[in-house]
Amino acid sequence: MNFMSDKSIKKLLHSWYAMLKHRHFSKAEDIKSTLLKYKRKIIKKQELYVHYQLMLFRHQLWMHQTEDLETLKHELMLHKDQMTKELQYYFYFFLGLYASLNNDQNDAIHYIEQAEKRLPALGDELEEAEFYFRTSGIYYNNRYSLLSIRHIQKAMDIFAKYGDIHSIYRCKIVLALNFSDQKKYKEAEAILIDIIEYVKIIDDQELLGIVYYDAGFIQSRQNRHKEALEYFKKALQLPVYRKSAHSYVSCLYETVRSCFKENLTEEGMKYIQKGLKEAIASQLDILRIKFQILSLLYSQAPKADEQIATLVTCLEKKEAWIDLEDLLADVSDYYKKKGDFERAAFFIMRG
């Protein structure tokens, strides 16, 4: 093994993060493997080792290798007060992304606010753009649409300054979803159609799956479930799309919803079984519970309402309020169509 200086290791750590940001995952894996050879040397230098652990955390989060993240998080927590401002920025930023993935939205916002305070310490405009892009998604997930749009516009302005067209298109996805929240459906659809054409040209199949899902989601928002299903099925037919576990399982869930809205109950139940399996495999507990609720509802299981109420309580404990709002509207509508107005009222009041 050749000698490597501390300076060279630090440069390699920055390159690792850059490869992840630009979705060059095979190169990121190569850098990770190289650094692993020097781990004994890295461990002896606390700042280098903390930097290494932070990048490992981001790598595993990006690759959905979530099984060791809690352990890594605990180890990093022990060193947060000794970190430089730069490393504290990464620490809070990455924890914010992790909390958002786990649907701990209050924690996610707290962490990204702490990260933003330390962002100037980096003096890196492109990292500012990355931060604003990623945090715009967190604000969107919390339905803070105006704040999300403000962040995405900041990111787009910086990316435009550096001629980063690909990142501008990634930003436009979040912009389209925010327009959908504001019921600006024509604007949202026009943006996504443009993005689909761009992604086809660059042949990024994983990103294409994500965009197809988002396009279908916007159709379902307008109760155009036949059109939504066309987009969802296009996404699910792309094998590489499964790498984006959260988007993939969410697509399966929305496919189930649209099937039931179109009275395709048998098809919907098949997607529920697939969705449950994938949600369990990817440790996506909230989506797993949502699949279970729809399964109970549409299979007309005995005492389904009691079991659904128990699962709703589980979602309440997880503070999954936005998920509950839409889900309980579906449950209530189901009972209303059955003429069971008492149960319909009970579930809509839980929302």
Side-chain angles (χ1 to χ4, degrees), residues 82-97:
Q82 289 79 47
M83 292 179 190
T84 63
K85 283 282 194 291
E86 177 189 358
L87 295 185
Q88 283 184 349
Y89 159 75
Y90 290 130
F91 171 73
Y92 286 114
F93 180 28
F94 298 165
L95 285 191
L97 297 175

Side-chain angles (χ1 to χ4, degrees), residues 154-167:
K154 285 182 181 180
M156 288 174 72
D157 287 346
I158 297 172
F159 286 134
K161 179 179 175 180
Y162 287 88
D164 190 343
I165 303 301
H166 184 69
S167 293

Side-chain angles (χ1 to χ4, degrees), residues 37 98 108 256 319:
K37 295 174 186 176
Y98 180 49
V256 171
E319 299 184 353

Side-chain angles (χ1 to χ4, degrees), residues 328-346:
L328 289 173
D330 285 347
V331 174
S332 179
D333 286 346
Y334 173 86
Y335 282 116
K336 199 182 295 180
K337 287 175 183 176
K338 295 286 185 182
D340 191 338
F341 297 106
E342 184 179 345
R343 285 189 174 88
F346 170 78

Side-chain angles (χ1 to χ4, degrees), residues 289-302:
I289 293 168
K290 289 165 71 174
F291 277 117
Q292 288 174 319
I293 287 173
L294 290 186
S295 178
L296 286 164
L297 193 65
Y298 286 93
S299 64
Q300 298 180 325

Side-chain angles (χ1 to χ4, degrees), residues 84-318:
T84 63
K85 283 282 194 291
E86 177 189 358
L87 295 185
Q88 283 184 349
Y89 159 75
Y90 290 130
F91 171 73
Y92 286 114
F93 180 28
F94 298 165
L95 285 191
L97 297 175
Y98 180 49
S100 181
L101 182 66
N102 288 336
N103 214 57
D104 299 327
Q105 300 303 342
N106 290 335
D107 283 350
I109 290 173
H110 166 72
Y111 287 136
I112 64 173
E113 286 174 346
Q114 293 300 313
E116 189 164 13
K117 291 177 184 176
R118 293 158 175 83
L119 183 56
L122 277 73
D124 182 344
E125 278 194 310
L126 284 172
E127 182 57 29
E128 286 182 32
E130 175 72 10
F131 174 80
Y132 289 128
F133 165 59
R134 294 290 168 190
T135 54
S136 70
I138 293 174
Y139 286 124
Y140 164 74
N141 289 336
N142 284 276
R143 293 190 176 169
Y144 297 149
S145 189
L146 293 176
L147 197 53
S148 178
I149 290 172
R150 193 182 309 154
H151 274 63
I152 210 66
Q153 286 174 336
K154 285 182 181 180
M156 288 174 72
D157 287 346
I158 297 172
F159 286 134
K161 179 179 175 180
Y162 287 88
D164 190 343
I165 303 301
H166 184 69
S167 293
I168 290 171
Y169 272 101
R170 289 191 303 151
C171 290
K172 286 182 176 181
I173 296 172
V174 185
L175 188 61
L177 291 169
N178 276 293
F179 282 165
S180 171
D181 267 10
Q182 296 175 338
K183 302 191 187 305
K184 297 177 181 177
Y185 296 121
K186 286 185 179 179
E187 292 95 326
E189 287 176 25
I191 290 171
L192 285 176
I193 288 169
D194 181 41
I195 296 169
I196 287 169
E197 291 308 309
Y198 167 75
V199 177
K200 284 181 178 177
I201 290 168
I202 65 169
D203 194 29
D204 187 333
Q205 296 289 294
E206 184 179 353
L207 186 57
L208 183 60
I210 292 168
V211 181
Y212 276 147
Y213 163 62
D214 290 334
F217 182 70
I218 288 172
Q219 294 297 320
S220 71
R221 279 278 184 90
Q222 302 170 77
N223 290 316
R224 294 162 63 177
H225 293 285
K226 185 177 179 181
E227 292 84 352
L229 282 168
E230 290 176 9
Y231 278 119
F232 294 150
K233 289 178 180 179
K234 282 182 180 180
L236 295 171
Q237 285 169 2
L238 299 171
V240 74
Y241 178 44
R242 290 187 67 174
K243 290 182 180 179
S244 292
H246 193 277
S247 180
Y248 179 74
V249 180
S250 296
C251 186
L252 285 167
Y253 176 76
E254 292 298 333
T255 302
V256 171
R257 287 188 69 244
S258 289
C259 280
F260 289 150
K261 297 288 184 182
E262 289 291 303
N263 296 315
L264 302 170
T265 306
E266 187 175 339
E267 187 176 355
M269 293 304 291
K270 288 179 182 176
Y271 278 111
I272 280 180
Q273 296 310 312
K274 184 174 179 60
L276 265 173
K277 182 180 176 182
E278 295 289 341
I280 292 167
S282 299
Q283 298 179 315
L284 297 169
D285 284 347
I286 288 173
L287 279 162
R288 172 184 59 78
I289 293 168
K290 289 165 71 174
F291 277 117
Q292 288 174 319
I293 287 173
L294 290 186
S295 178
L296 286 164
L297 193 65
Y298 286 93
S299 64
Q300 298 180 325
K303 297 184 178 179
D305 59 326
E306 294 177 15
Q307 295 179 70
I308 290 170
T310 300
L311 290 170
V312 166
T313 300
C314 291
L315 290 176
E316 288 171 343
K317 287 178 181 177
K318 291 178 178 290

